[in-house]
Amino acid sequence: MDKIKLSDKFKMFDDHWSPRIVGELNGQYIKLAKFKGKMVWHSHDNEDEFFQVIKGNIVIHLRDRSINLSEGECFIVPKGVEHLPEAAEEAEVMMFEPKHTAHTGTKESELTVAVDKQAWI
Amino acid sequence: MDKIKLSDKFKMFDDHWSPRIVGELNGQYIKLAKFKGKMVWHSHDNEDEFFQVIKGNIVIHLRDRSINLSEGECFIVPKGVEHLPEAAEEAEVMMFEPKHTAHTGTKESELTVAVDKQAWI
């Protein structure tokens, strides 16, 4: 039951597309990740996913449009909606999602980090 | 399915301790509120509550200590834990909690805003 200082947490890791868990509430995890480059197209059958840009800029591509997000902007990807996160430069992102949410949803890729391999920091 | 720009949302209301709903996911609401002065001591029997300071400084008093939170800092109040949020100057806060979470938990007060009176913006 300590406070979570986001800037300190982001200093604790450098790799991209590898979420760290910083909090848990009501069956959901709060995760932090650094984005750079392109993720992979994927969707989550039963989980909505919240993204908040803490630093930098990202794009969440959907099949019919792309959402540009800057610091202080958020977006919820509803369950079942295919999405591809991208960041031209490194960006810091906070996510909320159910604890069991698979990293790349129904799509396995070389970027996939299994939920039980996503470390608490 | 639009992006949520926090600074724009906070311009849409001025009152204190009156949460607005800006998003919904997995049975949880994302809420924004302006804090100023003292709330009331309360707890939520079955809901954990996440606070993130978007602007300003707040204090979350617990019975045994007080947590000072500045911009970019977060805290999760676990279910059942009595807390009293306070802000000396106006602060902007994002919260994440189950949809049915009562505003002031088991404690009714003149500050209480029923969940069905908390407007979407």
Side-chain angles (χ1 to χ4, degrees):
Chain A
M1 215 161 73
D2 294 317
K3 71 177 175 182
I4 302 161
K5 183 169 180 167
L6 298 176
S7 58
D8 282 354
K9 296 291 188 185
F10 277 113
K11 287 179 191 145
M12 297 176 69
F13 64 100
D14 292 314
D15 47 347
H16 301 131
W17 307 117
S18 183
R20 270 32 175 214
I21 302 165
V22 296
E24 176 180 351
L25 72 164
N26 306 307
Q28 323 276 313
Y29 277 147
I30 300 181
K31 297 182 180 180
L32 303 181
K34 293 185 177 180
F35 288 13
K36 188 175 181 184
K38 275 191 183 184
M39 230 268 191
V40 293
W41 279 105
H42 67 282
S43 62
H44 309 279
D45 286 346
N46 298 301
E47 300 90 8
D48 309 315
E49 207 173 17
F50 173 89
F51 296 83
Q52 180 185 358
V53 177
I54 304 298
K55 193 171 171 185
N57 300 281
I58 70 170
V59 185
I60 297 181
H61 299 284
L62 307 177
R63 287 297 186 187
D64 63 345
R65 62 193 169 116
S66 293
I67 315 292
N68 291 285
L69 299 177
S70 303
E71 190 175 319
E73 296 185 333
C74 312
F75 188 71
I76 296 168
V77 177
K79 62 189 78 168
V81 172
E82 281 190 294
H83 55 287
L84 169 66
E86 181 176 16
E89 303 295 331
E90 184 177 89
E92 297 179 348
V93 179
M94 186 172 83
M95 289 161 293
F96 290 146
E97 57 188 26
K99 289 175 63 173
H100 58 268
T101 305
H103 185 212
T104 52
T106 51
K107 171 85 175 179
E108 277 287 321
S109 95
E110 59 186 21
L111 288 177
T112 304
V113 183
V115 176
D116 62 358
K117 304 289 186 201
Q118 294 177 21
W120 274 85
I121 58 171
Chain B
M1 214 160 72
D2 293 317
K3 72 177 172 182
I4 301 161
K5 182 169 180 167
L6 297 176
S7 57
D8 283 353
K9 296 290 188 185
F10 278 113
K11 287 181 192 144
M12 297 175 69
F13 64 101
D14 291 313
D15 47 348
H16 301 132
W17 307 118
S18 183
R20 275 20 179 222
I21 302 164
V22 297
E24 177 180 351
L25 72 163
N26 307 305
Q28 322 276 312
Y29 277 146
I30 312 267
K31 296 182 180 180
L32 304 181
K34 293 186 177 179
F35 287 13
K36 187 175 182 185
K38 276 192 181 183
M39 231 267 191
V40 293
W41 280 105
H42 67 283
S43 63
H44 308 279
D45 286 346
N46 298 300
E47 300 90 8
D48 309 313
E49 207 172 17
F50 173 88
F51 296 85
Q52 180 186 359
V53 178
I54 303 299
K55 192 171 172 187
N57 300 281
I58 70 171
V59 185
I60 297 181
H61 299 284
L62 308 176
R63 288 297 186 185
D64 63 345
R65 62 193 170 115
S66 293
I67 315 293
N68 291 286
L69 299 176
S70 303
E71 191 174 320
E73 296 185 332
C74 312
F75 188 71
I76 296 167
V77 177
K79 63 188 80 167
V81 172
E82 281 189 293
H83 55 286
L84 169 66
E86 181 176 13
E89 304 294 330
E90 184 177 270
E92 297 179 349
V93 179
M94 186 173 82
M95 287 160 294
F96 185 50
E97 58 187 27
K99 287 175 65 172
H100 58 268
T101 304
H103 184 214
T104 52
T106 51
K107 172 85 176 178
E108 277 287 320
S109 95
E110 59 186 19
L111 289 176
T112 304
V113 182
V115 175
D116 62 359
K117 303 291 186 199
Q118 295 176 21
W120 274 85
I121 58 172

